[in-house]
Amino acid sequence: MIISGAGQEFIIKDTHRGLYYEDGKLTQVLDAGRYTIPPRNRLFTKLPVVECVLVDVRERELTIKGQEILTADKVAIRVSILVQFRVTDPKSAIHTVDNFEDRLYSDVQLAARRSLASMNLEEILTNRNRLSEDILSDVTESAGSYGVTIRRADVKDLIFPGNLQEIMNRVLAAERHSQAQLVEARTRAEVEQIEANSRAEITRRSAQAKAEARRLREQGDAEATRIQATAETQVYAERVKVAEALEKHPALLRLAELETLRDLAKNSNARLYLGMDKISLASAAQG
């Protein structure tokens, strides 16, 4: 948009910048604000002709539709590309090229052709982002030379020939099926691994429990043996004490014999043989 006319007042919004010309020569770049074009004559002085060109500096979109391009393996595909850009240097955008939008359109179109010409169909299908990245890196520098900054350049659509589209659909279906099988196999393997780990853990804990039970059993047997040995030692010690007492006091032995005889006398079936030693000695002397 060009603003001219002596004495005309105009406003530049934040969304635009103004290129201020005097007699066709750019003198300044105007920011947002209110401005007035001075009159051409003042006190018999001829003033320069003033014009102001408004440049939109908002972010905008440019769509390159239906470009038919050959890939490296000679497959013709149609591609649509969306470019988001903004003018960051109004002076360069107006002075460097005739029309910066047309130039940007051509630059993106050529960048897409160069990128696709270096890629085969399989690469395009498996790495679609590469095309967008190639276009962005290719165009960014050239667009910057005429005051335009590229925010993003994305491939919107890729259209393939009809028969190729059908083949691609079958290939994609096969890939999805193989991926599903891979996920199923991976899941089954993970389940089997978990089950194997569980069985191993159960076996380990069972072995630990058995070992602990055996240890406790052996410990209990050892303790019982120790207690029995202690008891037998105490019994032997008591017997020694009794033997020593009987040896020192024979009357105690006789008393014990009498107590034993008394206990035997209470049993009617018990038979007592007294003085058998003397009888045996007398019979031996007579013989």
Side-chain angles (χ1 to χ4, degrees):
M1 179 179 179
I2 300 177
I3 300 174
S4 61
Q8 182 175 345
E9 185 179 82
F10 61 95
I11 294 175
I12 299 177
K13 297 181 179 180
D14 284 333
T15 56
H16 290 71
R17 296 294 181 269
L19 301 181
Y20 192 84
Y21 294 90
E22 294 181 355
D23 289 338
K25 182 180 179 179
L26 179 66
T27 58
Q28 59 180 319
V29 178
L30 303 180
D31 291 327
R34 181 188 296 272
Y35 300 91
T36 302
I37 297 177
R40 293 184 181 178
N41 295 303
R42 180 184 300 169
L43 298 177
F44 307 103
T45 301
K46 187 175 181 180
L47 298 178
V49 177
V50 174
E51 291 182 338
C52 184
V53 177
L54 297 184
V55 181
D56 193 335
V57 294
R58 291 174 294 182
E59 186 171 304
R60 285 177 281 174
E61 292 184 353
L62 178 65
T63 301
I64 293 89
K65 297 182 179 179
Q67 299 297 307
E68 187 169 311
I69 305 173
L70 285 177
T71 63
D73 46 0
K74 308 305 179 184
V75 177
I77 64 174
R78 298 179 69 84
V79 59
S80 295
I81 305 166
L82 176 65
V83 181
Q84 293 180 347
F85 71 96
R86 61 174 300 187
V87 175
T88 52
D89 186 350
K91 176 183 175 181
S92 296
I94 299 301
H95 287 199
T96 304
V97 293
D98 178 53
N99 186 309
F100 64 85
E101 289 194 18
D102 291 344
R103 176 64 178 273
L104 180 60
Y105 187 100
S106 299
D107 286 346
V108 173
Q109 185 183 48
L110 293 174
R113 290 184 181 277
R114 283 192 293 267
S115 179
L116 285 174
S118 66
M119 301 171 64
N120 56 39
L121 183 60
E122 183 178 358
E123 290 175 329
I124 295 172
L125 292 175
T126 57
N127 191 8
R128 183 170 174 175
N129 289 334
R130 177 188 161 185
L131 179 57
S132 299
E133 293 169 357
D134 287 350
I135 294 173
L136 183 60
S137 62
D138 195 348
V139 176
T140 297
E141 184 176 355
S142 61
S145 66
Y146 50 87
V148 174
T149 298
I150 307 296
R151 298 298 185 186
R152 59 187 298 180
D154 291 332
V155 176
K156 289 182 62 177
D157 299 304
L158 284 173
I159 303 174
F160 301 90
N163 57 341
L164 183 61
Q165 185 72 41
E166 183 179 352
I167 295 173
M168 284 175 50
N169 290 336
R170 289 201 298 267
V171 170
L172 291 175
E175 288 181 352
R176 285 194 293 269
H177 180 67
S178 62
Q179 289 176 354
Q181 289 181 330
L182 179 61
V183 171
E184 182 180 358
R186 187 176 299 166
T187 302
R188 184 166 57 250
E190 290 176 354
V191 171
E192 292 176 354
Q193 181 65 35
I194 292 173
E195 291 178 349
N197 292 340
S198 299
R199 289 194 296 269
E201 182 65 16
I202 292 173
T203 302
R204 186 184 65 81
R205 292 188 178 183
S206 177
Q208 286 182 344
K210 290 181 180 178
E212 182 66 15
R214 183 169 59 253
R215 186 186 66 80
L216 293 175
R217 185 169 60 251
E218 292 174 353
Q219 184 177 355
D221 292 342
E223 182 66 17
T225 302
R226 186 188 66 78
I227 293 173
Q228 182 179 359
T230 301
E232 290 177 353
T233 301
Q234 292 177 351
V235 170
Y236 290 147
E238 292 296 329
R239 288 180 179 178
V240 169
K241 290 180 180 179
V242 171
E244 291 176 351
L246 293 176
E247 184 179 358
K248 292 180 179 179
H249 305 282
L252 293 176
L253 178 60
R254 184 59 182 168
L255 180 61
E257 291 177 352
L258 293 175
E259 289 179 352
T260 302
L261 291 174
R262 184 187 63 190
D263 292 337
L264 290 174
K266 295 179 181 180
N267 188 353
S268 59
N269 295 324
R271 296 184 179 185
L272 301 177
Y273 298 94
L274 301 175
M276 294 297 295
D277 294 340
K278 295 180 179 180
I279 296 173
S280 298
L281 290 173
S283 297
Q286 291 177 1

